[in-house]
Amino acid sequence: MNPTQSADRLPLPKVLVLGTGGTIAGVSTAHPAQGGYRAGVLDIAQLVEAAPGIELLAELHAEQVASIDSKDMRPEVWSKLATRIAQWFARPDAVGCVVTHGSDTLEETAYFLQCVLVPGKPVVLTAAMRPATALSADGPRNLYDAVQVAASPDAAGRGVLCALHGRVHGACDVTKAHPMALDAFTSGERGPLGFVGPQGLQFTRNHPGEKPQTLSVPSAGNWPRVELVSSHAGADGGVVRALLQASRSGALQPGLGGLVVIGTGHGTVHEDLQAALDVAESAGVRVVYASRAGMPQGGAYDGLNAVKIRVRLMLELAAQAKG
Ligand SMILES: NC(=O)CC[C@H](N)C(=O)O
């Protein structure tokens, strides 16, 4: 008899699976061998059902948090996720949590959760590059692997993780680097934290990236405005001056709290843009520099990319505003 079918088997680890939509829940709008599809159509129970054997890995509690294309991710969904995950982990018998997500903003949600959740039990995000109805859909394997990671004691204490195309990435490093390849995600030169698949789970690197002091989730209506601006040939600061003016006049609500600058090289900035940024800074706007060339590990924001720095800055500014 298969040990998993034995009457006296050990209880399975309890894993919460939260659905938010994305391509993993997408349905083809044309022939399944062709590209057109709509993201976020299937619900999380249907995704679990489509991953044969997943029920032998864990006792799954599937819940729908949202059904969106992740390009439309917004703070309300982040707040719901953080609240539900914190509630789940308050149960002493809760072992892990999986979040299914669109691939486009997965790295932002992963980093948001990394900032606001108390470290400990594993939270694992996953996605797919092909919709659920495609030929060779990658979602079921990715979901299965994410549950393998979330149910594993070895994954605990490593921060928020992402299980994608056989690799386990940390929330700080992971980024989407290709619009359609199945291995669309990378952790850059640092490489993934490990591998997961038919052979099980193996971590090959320990450092999951810097975990900031746990930050609170801003309450509704109290998310600060942090915008991204970039430096490039001819960047003259006009966008920054327009934002500042709209903010001062009250036309922009909430007003401008911070700017993340996607600079060149080491985070360097065109002199004309810099002049406008200096004015913004002296008006009380927090200005943080990232780079379009990628940042090395270390420093105030530990090599985070610009969209993750934006997440962090929103949370830090909200914490400061609360006092
Ligand atoms: N592969 C994907 O999931 C990208 C599709 C979709 N735009 C999303 O992020 O939800």
Side-chain angles (χ1 to χ4, degrees), residues 22-24 37 39 68-71 101-105 127-129 176:
T23 298
I24 194 167
Y37 70 94
I68 58 171
D69 184 318
S70 78
K71 72 179 176 57
H101 203 285
S103 61
D104 285 345
T105 58
M129 295 305 291
K176 185 175 176 180

Side-chain angles (χ1 to χ4, degrees), residues 21-29 37-44 46-47 64 67-69:
T23 298
I24 194 167
V27 169
S28 306
T29 50
Y37 70 94
R38 204 147 67 81
V41 175
L42 301 182
D43 66 32
I44 190 63
Q46 291 171 294
L47 302 193
Q64 200 71 34
S67 297
I68 58 171
D69 184 318

